Amino acid sequence: MTKSQNKMWGGRFTAGPDAIMEAINASIAFDQRLAAQDIQGSRAHAAMLGAVGIISDSDCAAIREGLDTILLEIENGKFPFRVEFEDIHMNVEARLAELIGEASGRLHTGRSRNDQVATDFRLWVRDQTDVAILGLEALMSAFLAQAKLGTDWIMPGFTHLQNAQPVTWGHHMMAYVEMLARDKSRFEDARRRMNESPLGAVALAGTSFPIDRDMTAKELGFDCPTANSLDSVSDRDFALEFLSCASICAMHLSRFSEELVIWSSAQFRFVTLSDKFSTGSSIMPQKKNPDAAELIRAKIGRIFGANVALMLVMKGLPLTYSKDMQEDKEQVFDAADNLMLALAAMEGMVGDMTANCNNLRIAAASGFSTATDLADWLVRSLDMPFRDAHQVTGTLVALAETEKCDLPDLTLDQMQSVHSEITNEIYDILGVENSVASRMSYGGTAPEQVRSQIARWEATLE
Ligand code: ARG
């Protein structure tokens, strides 16, 4: 092939593309990742063309055999990806011509690269959606195992990163199970919506050939064909939904990463991360850094960046296909790769980390963390309105602060100097074990509640 005679579209051209044109136009460097999906789509299309009699059985068989050979070449790293053929679709077709000759030219009957790329990319995103769902399930199991291990270990619960009320380790771990479960259901929901086949929309308007779109849809595992050919070739919602699910998920991973960074610091010592997921410093021999957590914390940047980038590519595009849309793939590839990596690294870290129960318990008891329990006791035992109880408790906290002690260290005399009806009973109330055990409201931190949530999720994940 000379450059002036591009077999795919060279008829009306007398000159080949400028080198710069080739560089900006070609997508083969990245869309070769769609090779398997491209061949899958072409096999389905060829089988349909054969079945409805648009091409002969022998051409159909030759095409399908040729495609199988190409798939093997790709799998064995033997396939010649050539930039002059621009993208994966034309590379495969050009190779098919070399392998089977004339019959290859019939494959593109009733098809365009516009519906072809929409189909290939959907198949790829659908695969990655499934991979993300599996990764999320694995990570949920890792959090669940931590929750089971320390269902009733007591740790500080924070608001504003200030000690708020004691909670249980199990409860904190199960919070992430809830978050990841929402991520999973978002991916599942997006998958349902994306699972329609654009193949057969052709360039934009459909075709005069008697194609069977139900047949190709079924062959490719789609629920049905898409219903509007214009929308089919111009839609990239499936990629945007994938990126938005990925962004929210990465944001969750980033939040736990931040907790791990804080928790593993010398100031907190709540958890010890395994050596497998930490690194040392080249100058400070004592250092063990939570690099994996920090990197996962940062991944949201590029993943959400991809989401924004594709949104801006699509914004303002008139129907139907525009070459702008070739800019969809690298963003999604990068986001998917990094999401999967982050999920796997997080699963490893959560599985391997060790909670330092003693430190957790000591921290849980500090910072007047059971002040709410004291106020609640005043309400329950002395029938005080909550606002008054809040006032009395605040005065007791201020007293403890002046005395430089914690609430349970105040003597009964000191307590009664603030409110005369306070009794000895208060010292049971001020213990952190009592505090967590008493939070029996549905979804509360009491170990009994946490246990029932663990059981519910174990049954769901099975
Ligand atoms: N490489 C193109 C893409 O990724 C394939 C579709 C090309 N279609 C066209 N009409 N030029 O979007």
Side-chain angles (χ1 to χ4, degrees), residues 76-92:
N76 298 328
K78 298 259 160 62
F79 184 85
F81 292 106
R82 286 167 288 187
V83 74
E84 64 265 31
F85 293 119
E86 203 180 308
D87 59 21
I88 185 63
H89 324 294
M90 296 206 290
N91 265 272
V92 168

Side-chain angles (χ1 to χ4, degrees), residues 27 31 86-87 89 113-114 117 321 323 325-326 329:
S27 52
D31 69 11
E86 203 180 308
D87 59 21
H89 324 294
R113 271 190 298 156
N114 295 350
V117 71
Y321 178 84
K323 195 66 172 250
M325 289 158 72
Q326 181 167 288
K329 283 173 259 329

Side-chain angles (χ1 to χ4, degrees), residues 129-428:
T129 303
D130 291 338
V131 175
I133 290 168
L134 287 177
L136 280 163
E137 285 171 353
L139 182 54
M140 285 167 77
S141 297
F143 273 110
L144 205 56
Q146 281 287 349
K148 274 183 87 165
L149 201 63
T151 309
D152 47 17
W153 296 343
I154 295 173
M155 66 178 286
F158 299 96
T159 61
H160 316 268
L161 199 55
Q162 308 285 322
N163 248 9
Q165 291 172 350
V167 296
T168 47
W169 173 260
H171 199 45
H172 199 113
M173 295 299 111
M174 291 307 288
Y176 282 94
V177 172
E178 294 288 336
M179 290 148 87
L180 298 169
R182 288 196 297 276
D183 292 333
K184 177 173 174 263
S185 94
R186 259 185 290 274
F187 276 114
E188 288 164 346
D189 183 46
R191 191 193 196 285
R192 265 191 293 281
R193 224 173 351 267
M194 78 175 71
N195 206 31
E196 295 184 354
S197 172
L199 193 58
V202 199
L204 73 163
T207 179
S208 56
F209 290 102
I211 59 171
D212 182 348
R213 294 192 60 205
D214 288 298
M215 183 180 165
T216 45
K218 190 159 174 239
E219 170 76 19
L220 296 171
F222 289 115
D223 296 329
C224 58
T226 50
N228 182 299
S229 63
L230 302 177
D231 176 45
S232 308
V233 294
S234 74
D235 167 47
R236 292 295 181 271
D237 290 4
F238 60 94
L240 285 166
E241 286 196 41
F242 176 83
L243 290 174
S244 101
C245 297
S247 297
I248 299 176
C249 176
M251 174 273 289
H252 288 151
L253 301 185
S254 179
R255 294 184 71 176
F256 190 63
S257 298
E258 170 69 359
E259 298 204 304
L260 285 182
V261 169
I262 296 172
W263 291 357
S264 62
S265 69
Q267 289 72 20
F268 272 74
R269 291 180 202 274
F270 282 7
V271 294
T272 307
L273 297 177
S274 84
D275 287 357
K276 286 199 271 178
F277 289 95
S278 311
T279 57
S281 154
S282 56
I283 174 168
M284 296 165 284
Q286 86 284 9
K287 292 276 292 220
K288 182 168 159 186
N289 296 324
D291 288 32
E294 292 170 286
L295 287 163
I296 299 171
R297 184 172 60 184
K299 291 292 184 199
I300 173 70
R302 62 202 291 173
I303 293 173
F304 190 56
N307 195 357
V308 173
L310 184 55
M311 201 64 124
L312 296 185
V313 166
M314 296 307 295
K315 172 201 167 292
L317 288 188
L319 298 188
T320 55
Y321 178 84
S322 298
K323 195 66 172 250
D324 308 51
M325 289 158 72
Q326 181 167 288
E327 290 287 312
D328 56 1
K329 283 173 259 329
E330 282 169 291
Q331 301 291 344
V332 176
F333 292 160
D334 185 76
D337 290 346
N338 282 285
L339 180 71
M340 305 320 159
L341 191 57
L343 283 169
M346 185 60 94
E347 186 201 339
M349 265 195 306
V350 171
D352 276 6
M353 71 186 179
T354 313
N356 305 325
C357 324
N358 264 347
N359 295 347
L360 288 172
R361 202 197 164 287
I362 291 164
S366 71
F368 315 111
S369 65
T370 52
T372 314
D373 300 272
L374 198 159
D376 287 350
W377 181 86
L378 295 171
V379 170
R380 252 194 315 271
S381 305
L382 307 182
D383 196 26
M384 213 182 264
F386 183 78
R387 278 291 150 235
D388 299 344
H390 189 286
Q391 184 74 29
V392 170
T393 309
T395 314
L396 284 165
V397 167
L399 177 61
E401 244 172 355
T402 342
E403 298 291 325
K404 299 200 185 346
C405 67
D406 274 319
L407 279 174
D409 305 324
L410 292 173
T411 64
L412 190 58
D413 280 348
Q414 286 172 315
M415 296 261 192
Q416 288 174 342
S417 73
V418 175
H419 196 282
S420 60
E421 287 167 74
I422 293 177
T423 71
N424 254 326
E425 218 181 278
I426 203 67
Y427 293 103
D428 295 334

Side-chain angles (χ1 to χ4, degrees), residues 32-100:
Q32 51 181 273
R33 288 188 70 171
L34 300 178
Q37 289 75 13
D38 194 67
I39 288 165
Q40 201 188 348
S42 287
R43 283 184 106 265
H45 184 65
M48 181 278 292
L49 292 177
V52 301
I54 297 174
I55 63 173
S56 69
D57 287 346
S58 60
D59 283 346
C60 175
I63 290 171
R64 283 170 61 102
E65 263 172 51
L67 289 169
D68 289 346
T69 306
I70 293 175
L71 187 60
L72 275 180
E73 288 182 344
I74 290 168
E75 283 168 359
N76 298 328
K78 298 259 160 62
F79 184 85
F81 292 106
R82 286 167 288 187
V83 74
E84 64 265 31
F85 293 119
E86 203 180 308
D87 59 21
I88 185 63
H89 324 294
M90 296 206 290
N91 265 272
V92 168
E93 201 183 317
R95 182 73 186 132
L96 191 63
E98 289 165 0
L99 290 172
I100 68 164

